[in-house]
Amino acid sequence: MWSFCSTRLIRQRGDVLAESLIGVLLFAVAGVGISHVAAKMSVAQRDNKVHQQVINELRSKVQNRADSTSLCSAGGFATDNFGAEVEVAGCDLTTASVGGLVISEVSRPVVLSARLNGVDYRVGGVVQQ
């Protein structure tokens, strides 16, 4: 009787060891998955932060210019914080008609566009309807 119980106890010790090993492996896989998701999320947050900073910098250039031709005279410039080359478009003059009255030499809306890390950014211009 004693030998029957002892062999059963030894067999149970092996089963518990195998179950605990499987449990540790499952927790390790879950931990790797969670760290991967966290890494992807932090990269996405960094990209969104850079996107907002570039857009804000371009908007401030358009809003804080001295006149409609101040950005056009340089033809292009680099951003202050990122070193991306900014292209300026819409620097020519046109005519406009308001209520039947024709106004000449009206400057077009200025459009600033830059490319940073493979992403194109564009600020200004006319909203297409």
Side-chain angles (χ1 to χ4, degrees), residues 3 23 28 31 41 43-45 54 81 89 106 112 116 119 124:
S3 67
M41 198 175 345
V43 167
Q45 286 176 344
V54 169
N81 298 323
V106 176
L112 300 181
L116 182 67
V119 180

Side-chain angles (χ1 to χ4, degrees), residues 105-126:
E105 296 187 10
V106 176
S107 60
R108 292 186 185 268
V110 175
V111 178
L112 300 181
S113 47
R115 184 171 183 83
L116 182 67
N117 297 333
V119 180
D120 292 324
Y121 300 97
R122 183 172 180 242
V123 173
V126 180

Side-chain angles (χ1 to χ4, degrees), residues 40-90:
K40 289 289 189 181
M41 198 175 345
S42 67
V43 167
Q45 286 176 344
R46 180 186 53 91
D47 289 345
N48 285 336
K49 184 177 179 180
V50 168
H51 173 77
Q52 288 300 321
Q53 287 175 343
V54 169
I55 292 296
N56 287 337
E57 185 175 342
L58 293 178
R59 281 182 182 161
S60 71
K61 293 277 188 194
V62 170
Q63 291 172 352
N64 298 328
R65 65 181 187 232
D67 56 13
S68 60
T69 59
S70 62
L71 291 174
C72 297
S73 61
F77 55 91
T79 57
D80 296 334
N81 298 323
F82 300 101
E85 186 66 27
V86 178
E87 296 176 6
V88 181

